[in-house]
Structures are given as structure tokens and as C-alpha cells.
Amino acid sequence: MKALLCKALGGPEDLVIEDVPDPVPGPGEALVRVSVAALNFFDTLIIAGRYQVKPDLPFSPGAEACGVIEALGPGVEAFRVGERVIVHLGYGACRERVVAPVSGLTRVPEGVSDEQAAGLSVTYGTSLHALQDRANLKPGETLAVLGATGGVGLAAVELGHAMGARVIACASSAEKLDLAKAHGADLTLDYSQEPLRDGLKRLGGEAGIDVVYDPVGGAYSEPALRSLNWKGRFLVVGFAAGEIPRIPLNLALLKGIDIQGVFWGAFLKREPEGHAANQARLLALVREGRLSAKVHGVYPLEEAAAALGILARREAMGKVLLRL
């Protein structure tokens, strides 16, 4: 079978496609024929050795995929051959066949496409965990989303809208903000044209901002945190800008702010029942047409470097997928 491999740490251009042996499922595992694998921004960090997860070489990038079960290992009774599933691996999904513990599989219902399902776990899973489990976002509250058209950002916009919040989408161009508005943003802020703090103060109004969703970091975090109202919640999701900000803790003290870390990967392992419930909710929302699971583009495996480049340059407006 074909596999996209990282054999030496570096950039997307250093990845290679090679034939590798088909895997065999062991006890409690399933063999899944991958149809579509999803890429995420952190894949650009993993292949460079700059992420907290550091797989042994060689490995395949790609944390999530959609496919069909081809074989089951001993002792598996909860799934059957031929079922369409989401598979979450953390890394290793960019290959034609993968083996995964059945605990990492989720059935895909009719009415949800392979493309929608493949990119649902990480981005929408992260955003639902952040907004529902961490921030306890309530209907009528004001949510500001930074990087609002990246994978997790657009997911947060859609989910915030579906949860009844007033959503302010923040991004760096009018084109990106048009996309956010089409996916549920009530208000938009172009921080290439107006300082972020000024814009959030203007749009937040007298009530201010209840929740900030920040997957960007860098110079944007502190002004966004300063926009929060009394007992606001600041969600630390990631650092796509590259720099981990240093936040003056007196700001949290003076406003009674909660600074909440969002580590979806740890949530998945530590609270599997909560993760399963969230996956079921996400799939139901997609099936009902309340989430689009927006796809930026679907690329052949041979164009993986170009696809990862879109993520590295923060040009993605939705999910970036590979067709296996």
C-alpha cells in the first residue's frame, strides 16, 4: 500500500511516498481502508519535530481520516466489516490502510459525507470541547473567535452560532471574514485594518466579551484577553502565530478572568465517554445541516506538500484533505 512518510524531520517538501506492507489488526483493533485523510496545522509542526508529540521515524502525518473497515482483530464485537468510520490516530493516517484500536473509531451515519467526516474529529472536536466543556458557553453570550477561518476557528464560529452565542469573527482579510459570516458570525473584525483591542471594545459594546477563543497566540492574545468582561473566559487553543504569549496575570486577577487550557488530545484519552458523546453530537449537527464541516480543498496524495503548505501559510479556509 502507499503511504506518505516523514523519514527525516523537515518541511512538507521533505515527505516521500513509498510502498509499505499492509498492517494486520491485533486484538481489539480494526483495519480501515482510508478514503480521505485530514491534515491539521499541527502536522506541519510534527514533521519538523516542533510539536509535543514526537513519533519515531519514519511515520506518516495525519491525525484523522474516514474509511471503511476491511478486517477486525480478535475479540472485536462492537463493529463489523464494511462499516464506514471516522478513525482518530494522533498521527499516521496518511496511508491507504491503517490499524486502530476500536476505541478510536466512530461510526459515520448516512447523510454525512466522507469529506465532512474525515475532518470532524480534531477541529470540531477541539472547538466543541473548548466551548461546551471548558467555557460553558451559554445562549446570548458574546464569543470572539481569533483566526476565525482556520480549521478550528471556523469550527468555533459555526458551533458558537449553533449554541446560540453572539459570535464576533476576527481574521486578517475581508475575504476570510465573508466566509466566517456565511458560517454564522454575527459581527466581523479585520485586525489588519483595525487594532484588535479597539475593534473588540467597539463590537463588544457595553456588555463586553464573555469568551475569547484563541488558536493564534502571539501578539493577539493579550489585547483579546483585555477585552473580556467580568468573569470572562479566555480559551488557550494554540499558537498558530508561532509565539507563545506571556500574559500579565494581574489582568486575570482584576477582572476575575478564567484562563482555560484546551488540550483536546488529553481530553480524548482521559475522558473517553465525554469524547464519544461529543462525537455523536457533532455528527448529529452535520446530519441536521447545522454544521457544514467546511472543506478548503481535497488533494491527491502526490500533492501533500502543497496541501501542508496551505496550512503552514495559514491560508486554509476550512479543512485540508488528502484523497487516498
Side-chain angles (χ1 to χ4, degrees):
M1 68 173 186
K2 288 184 179 179
L4 180 68
L5 296 177
C6 176
K7 301 182 76 172
L9 298 178
E13 68 281 357
D14 298 311
L15 298 174
V16 298
I17 298 172
E18 292 186 0
D19 286 322
V20 299
D22 285 357
V24 177
E29 294 180 333
L31 175 68
V32 178
R33 174 61 172 91
V34 174
S35 59
V36 185
L39 299 173
N40 293 278
F41 176 77
F42 61 74
D43 284 307
T44 68
L45 303 178
I46 290 175
I47 63 175
R50 294 191 292 113
Y51 194 60
Q52 56 259 38
V53 176
K54 293 179 169 58
D56 294 332
L57 297 172
F59 67 91
S60 295
E64 55 187 337
C66 182
V68 174
I69 295 175
E70 283 193 339
L72 297 169
V76 176
E77 297 179 354
F79 289 87
R80 67 178 187 274
V81 171
E83 285 190 299
R84 196 163 56 107
V85 293
I86 295 170
V87 54
H88 176 74
L89 296 170
Y91 62 88
C94 292
R95 47 181 65 203
E96 291 181 322
R97 289 177 177 83
V98 298
V99 160
V102 293
S103 59
L105 304 181
T106 303
R107 288 182 182 85
V108 181
E110 292 296 325
V112 178
S113 70
D114 287 1
E115 291 77 13
Q116 289 173 310
L120 200 63
S121 287
V122 174
T123 53
Y124 285 86
T126 295
S127 294
L128 182 59
H129 172 53
L131 299 177
Q132 171 186 275
D133 305 327
R134 301 296 285 136
N136 191 25
L137 182 68
K138 300 176 180 67
E141 288 192 314
T142 297
L143 165 69
V145 180
L146 309 189
T149 57
V152 291
L154 194 61
V157 168
E158 284 199 272
L159 282 165
H161 175 75
M163 295 168 73
R166 175 174 173 261
V167 181
I168 301 173
C170 308
S172 59
S173 73
E175 180 188 10
K176 290 181 177 180
L177 291 171
D178 286 344
L179 177 66
K181 202 161 187 178
H183 286 78
D186 300 286
L187 299 166
T188 59
L189 171 57
D190 184 345
Y191 44 60
S192 72
Q193 301 298 315
E194 178 181 12
L196 181 62
R197 188 181 179 191
D198 293 348
L200 288 177
K201 184 177 181 180
R202 173 176 59 81
L203 296 174
E206 198 168 312
I209 309 294
D210 297 293
V211 178
V212 167
Y213 182 100
D214 181 13
V216 179
Y220 297 102
S221 296
E222 185 176 328
L225 185 141
R226 288 179 180 274
S227 75
L228 284 166
N229 60 17
W230 174 248
K231 291 189 177 180
R233 289 90 80 199
F234 185 88
L235 295 166
V236 182
V237 183
F239 312 103
E243 180 183 347
I244 298 176
R246 297 178 182 273
I247 299 295
L249 289 180
N250 64 305
L251 297 176
L253 183 152
L254 294 172
K255 290 190 174 186
I257 290 168
D258 288 336
I259 299 175
Q260 301 177 330
V262 180
F263 189 1
W264 178 80
F267 166 71
L268 169 69
K269 294 177 181 177
R270 292 173 178 267
E271 302 178 46
E273 292 181 358
H275 164 67
N278 284 2
Q279 287 281 91
R281 183 178 183 188
L282 290 171
L283 286 162
L285 288 169
V286 174
R287 190 175 62 246
E288 293 163 9
R290 297 174 63 193
L291 291 182
S292 70
K294 166 73 176 174
V295 173
H296 176 92
V298 183
Y299 303 86
L301 191 62
E302 292 74 17
E303 295 181 18
L308 284 163
I310 292 167
L311 291 166
R313 295 188 298 274
R314 295 174 57 197
E315 297 172 352
M317 291 190 283
K319 290 299 298 189
V320 175
L321 306 176
L322 293 179
R323 178 86 61 195
L324 273 295

